[in-house]
Amino acid sequence: MTEAPLLPRNEDGIETAIGVLRQRFGERLHTGASVREQHGHTTTWIENQLPDAVVFPQSTDEVADVVRICAAHKVPVIAFGTGTSLEGHVNAPGGGISVDLSQMGKVLAVHAQDLDCVVQPGVTRADLNTHLRDQGLFFPIDPGANASLGGMAATRASGTNAVRYGTMKDNVLALEAVMADGRVIRTAQRARKSSAGYDLTRLLIGSEGTLGIITEITLRLQGIPEAISSARCSFPSVDAACRAVMMTIQYGVPVARIELLDEQSVRAANAYSKLSLPETPLLLLEFHGSEASVLEQAETFRTIADEFGGTGFAATTSTEERNQLWQARHDMYWATLQLRPGARGISTDVCVPISRLAECVTAAQDKAAELGLMAPIVGHVGDGNFHSLVLVDMDSETETANARQFVSWLNDLAISMDGTCTGEHGIGQGKRPYLVKELGAATDYMAAIKQALDPDNILNPGKILPG
Amino acid sequence: MTEAPLLPRNEDGIETAIGVLRQRFGERLHTGASVREQHGHTTTWIENQLPDAVVFPQSTDEVADVVRICAAHKVPVIAFGTGTSLEGHVNAPGGGISVDLSQMGKVLAVHAQDLDCVVQPGVTRADLNTHLRDQGLFFPIDPGANASLGGMAATRASGTNAVRYGTMKDNVLALEAVMADGRVIRTAQRARKSSAGYDLTRLLIGSEGTLGIITEITLRLQGIPEAISSARCSFPSVDAACRAVMMTIQYGVPVARIELLDEQSVRAANAYSKLSLPETPLLLLEFHGSEASVLEQAETFRTIADEFGGTGFAATTSTEERNQLWQARHDMYWATLQLRPGARGISTDVCVPISRLAECVTAAQDKAAELGLMAPIVGHVGDGNFHSLVLVDMDSETETANARQFVSWLNDLAISMDGTCTGEHGIGQGKRPYLVKELGAATDYMAAIKQALDPDNILNPGKILPG
């Protein structure tokens, strides 16, 4: 485990707030150790820091009540979606109250004519898409995990489809949020665009629960494409695969997904998902459009792939084959862990300008080898975003030290390439030192905004900003 | 003219600051009345409020010097691009220093492989596209006026191409800005996406110079499409045209532009641009893609138009014909003014969910008729955004009162339809009362952010926020 810094605890305040919350929420307030543990960080090597209690509100008014009670006693309030974040976002370094939004799980409205919908924060991505299917609509952002849409908004999530459809910042029209003083605001109306005042929608997206708690989300939707096809193609090297990606993007092919698996990841996928892919770097693609357009896109890609030594190109419009391929992609986390049973997987996330992608991925592979680490790479490479999943024997001090060095080195490398220390995982606790390296003085103004909107620092303290 | 509220003047501070600035900038500081007038508001019926001096910096450091000098003496600083804003954005209600960024007009870098570029704020949209043409790239945002990219970022501009390519918020990767204390920040690196901290990029976009002065912009670029075709189609009513738009969007046709001209606007275009279009509501479209794709898009649209009584459908891939059509669209402001020589044109701007568009446009036409106003409508209707250009005889008190009533009524109507009082023109001075009607308590948090980042309220005071 990696220790996460602690914050001073306001013991009296916490005790009082829990008393008041118990009166207000009765059995929807939990203080048992196992519930509290589940609401701390559980996914990576960052240690679990338990909240003192977990409350399950069922409405915006109830969230506002929680915040007002905690504000009155200066007690931390930590919004909780599904707990799939990777950088300690939901930890409680100073204790406090976890606000589990899973009981706010209603799709409140679908405006099919406007291609938008309004959901509560606990609705998950998969739930929403099931709900929308009959109307020929879908919500494109897919971070892999079946995360809640509130959590996805709060962390500016993206994933495989972002190359075509953008990230959460591009797909949220408006938010309702409870602010640190317990007041409820709406950040925008339902118009497709607006130039009315400061963009509080985008300010809250990616703020990781530190500026407000999102209680309602108005999302842009897409029509389910007339045709979807997928393709795969193997490459002689990561460099060749990345160059093919670069040209595909430059050529303006509107790929919906373009994912890289390096050779180790392909090996993991073969073993776990019972596939027989050639164990060299692989690109997986998906094309959305009309019947004619998806054929044309696949053909353009195949021509590009040929130039870079691509082999085994195979495209399909079969839903079954496509699902098999993407299921394998989504299972990569578990597949990779199986490469080294007993090891812990430490996922790190960087994003660089696409012209630097080949160089960055290759350097990461070389560095891992140099440090004796097994660190397979998968990436949303159309955006220049990739993850390295370092497989660490946590009992080996040398190995954990080397893994730490690798993560730090990779983040620094991405920043030095005019890239970012996090394409999509967010800052949480784990990436705070890199945020300052990346954005310098800008973080002072972030701190000023935090101070202005949450002067007592009760909303998810100890996240994003250093110190 | 419509009076704009004044702010108290800091006479001593202004005098001192001008003295210091004169020493620092010599002949690049202007205090003559005509230059000052050109740097107040000049485009609509909002009265011109002159700055006390205009300075022409040539570098970020020089902008920082201006801000530091003004900050030391608590003097307003108003960033100026090309002065084409419509709601009093560049007015100086408390006097102060206008910072004209036209001498910061360099394209600093084009990263063709990454489809991005870095520009100074004074580069205009047209300059940039000329610069990019040889590399097969273009920047898609087109607000009509040949605005500066700094101004476009500061006002969250959009225009005809936004239905396909989004607005400035979607096409800026990073900003450099001078903050109210004179420090320079970068809001992001050049990666395509990031979840690193608060989205200061989006916070500055649309902040109209009230939170910082933008000194460098990293923009996403697009490859020039393989094929571009345009089309026009006449409709029996505005309602029919809007319904065709709605279905085109729902059907997922990736139109690059879809513009409505109502019957009065078509009449104006015919007279001004020497066209002979049928004088009924008209849609103008543009399709971008491969040769096959633009044909397919046009054909899909034609089928939809048929359903709604569209006539005279004509598509063309001829550059000359296309340019003629879009030149006519861009000249609409001047063409409309010619409908009533001597009248002043008051452009107002709303945006509603597309399901309400037909109703909103029709109601606007009816209301104008009821008030005896000539108010032709043009719109970026794929986004639900339209403008009404009220032609007002400013010598008639009744007419100006009616125009005022119309503008107010239309903004209220759009807000009541879950729309916005401004799709793209911004708040400036003119729309401040509507911002509060639209977003209520959210504006308190905007004010808190303003107070935190600019405690002495020196950056473009009297804009966006009420009071």
Side-chain angles (χ1 to χ4, degrees), chain A residues 198, chain B residues 7 49 78 87-93 207-210 427-430 432 435 450 457 459-467:
Chain A
Y198 303 157
Chain B
L7 294 174
Q49 296 173 321
I78 302 146
E87 296 290 351
H89 297 62
V90 297
N91 256 344
S207 67
E208 302 182 6
T210 65
I427 299 294
Q429 296 175 308
R432 289 189 303 167
L435 180 66
K450 168 71 172 171
N457 193 21
L459 293 176
N460 208 7
K463 314 300 163 62
I464 297 186
L465 293 164

Side-chain angles (χ1 to χ4, degrees), chain B residues 37-310:
Chain B
E37 256 166 46
Q38 288 157 23
H39 287 78
H41 181 78
T42 56
T43 54
T44 63
W45 65 356
I46 296 170
E47 67 172 337
N48 184 294
Q49 296 173 321
L50 287 65
D52 293 283
V54 182
V55 65
F56 291 80
Q58 295 175 338
S59 68
T60 298
D61 283 349
E62 289 193 349
V63 175
D65 279 355
V66 173
V67 173
R68 273 192 295 263
I69 291 163
C70 290
H73 302 286
K74 298 194 182 3
V75 166
V77 189
I78 302 146
F80 186 95
T82 58
T84 52
S85 55
L86 298 167
E87 296 290 351
H89 297 62
V90 297
N91 256 344
I97 310 301
S98 174
V99 183
D100 184 315
L101 297 152
S102 59
Q103 294 185 19
M104 290 176 69
K106 289 200 198 75
V107 176
L108 299 171
V110 177
H111 306 106
Q113 290 191 312
D114 296 316
L115 298 175
D116 72 47
C117 69
V118 184
V119 302
Q120 288 188 314
V123 175
T124 67
R125 177 180 68 75
D127 288 349
L128 177 61
N129 280 325
T130 303
H131 187 98
L132 294 171
R133 203 184 300 147
D134 289 348
Q135 299 184 66
L137 298 170
F138 80 112
F139 179 68
I141 311 300
D142 174 4
N146 186 20
S148 68
L149 290 156
M152 286 169 62
T155 57
R156 204 181 297 135
S158 49
T160 55
N161 278 316
V163 62
R164 164 96 176 231
Y165 297 101
T167 75
M168 286 303 282
K169 93 173 156 47
D170 307 299
N171 288 279
V172 173
L173 289 172
L175 295 170
E176 179 191 80
V178 175
M179 305 303 279
D181 54 12
R183 289 172 78 199
V184 179
I185 65 167
R186 291 199 65 83
T187 61
Q189 301 262 77
R190 214 156 52 71
R192 295 301 263 189
K193 66 180 195 186
S194 173
S195 49
Y198 303 156
D199 192 346
L200 297 183
T201 309
R202 252 51 58 181
L203 185 64
L204 286 171
I205 292 171
S207 67
E208 302 182 6
T210 65
L211 299 179
I213 297 183
I214 295 168
T215 50
E216 217 177 275
I217 310 145
T218 304
L219 295 165
R220 291 181 71 141
L221 301 174
Q222 303 286 332
I224 294 175
E226 182 191 332
I228 300 179
S229 82
S230 61
R232 62 180 171 83
C233 189
S234 297
F235 287 85
S237 66
V238 155
D239 184 74
C242 289
R243 287 178 194 284
V245 171
M246 202 159 78
M247 182 159 286
T248 304
I249 298 299
Q250 281 163 21
Y251 209 79
V253 182
V255 281
R257 291 171 157 160
I258 186 164
E259 296 284 306
L260 171 73
L261 278 66
D262 76 352
E263 47 276 55
Q264 288 189 78
S265 295
V266 174
R267 194 150 53 240
N270 277 344
Y272 187 86
S273 301
K274 310 202 177 7
L275 302 173
S276 52
L277 299 162
E279 294 188 350
T280 62
L282 180 77
L283 293 180
L284 298 182
L285 298 96
E286 194 167 275
F287 307 107
H288 294 179
S290 66
E291 299 283 356
S293 157
V294 300
L295 285 175
E296 193 182 35
Q297 292 177 53
E299 198 43 45
T300 306
F301 172 75
R302 181 216 279 266
T303 310
I304 292 168
D306 279 350
E307 269 189 58
F308 294 95

Side-chain angles (χ1 to χ4, degrees), chain A residues 34-160:
Chain A
S34 76
V35 171
R36 289 164 53 217
E37 258 166 46
Q38 287 158 24
H39 287 79
H41 182 77
T42 56
T43 54
T44 63
W45 66 355
I46 295 170
E47 67 171 336
N48 185 294
Q49 295 174 321
L50 287 65
D52 293 283
V54 183
V55 65
F56 292 80
Q58 294 174 340
S59 69
T60 299
D61 282 349
E62 289 193 348
V63 175
D65 279 355
V66 174
V67 174
R68 273 192 295 262
I69 291 164
C70 290
H73 302 285
K74 298 196 185 355
V75 166
V77 189
I78 302 147
F80 185 95
T82 57
T84 51
S85 55
L86 298 166
E87 295 291 352
H89 297 62
V90 297
N91 256 344
I97 311 300
S98 173
V99 183
D100 184 315
L101 296 152
S102 59
Q103 294 185 17
M104 290 176 68
K106 290 200 196 75
V107 177
L108 299 172
V110 177
H111 305 107
Q113 289 192 312
D114 296 316
L115 297 175
D116 72 48
C117 69
V118 184
V119 302
Q120 288 188 314
V123 175
T124 67
R125 177 180 68 75
D127 287 349
L128 178 61
N129 280 325
T130 302
H131 187 97
L132 294 171
R133 203 183 302 146
D134 289 349
Q135 300 184 64
L137 298 170
F138 79 112
F139 179 68
I141 310 301
D142 173 4
N146 186 22
S148 68
L149 290 156
M152 287 169 62
T155 56
R156 204 182 298 135
S158 49
T160 55

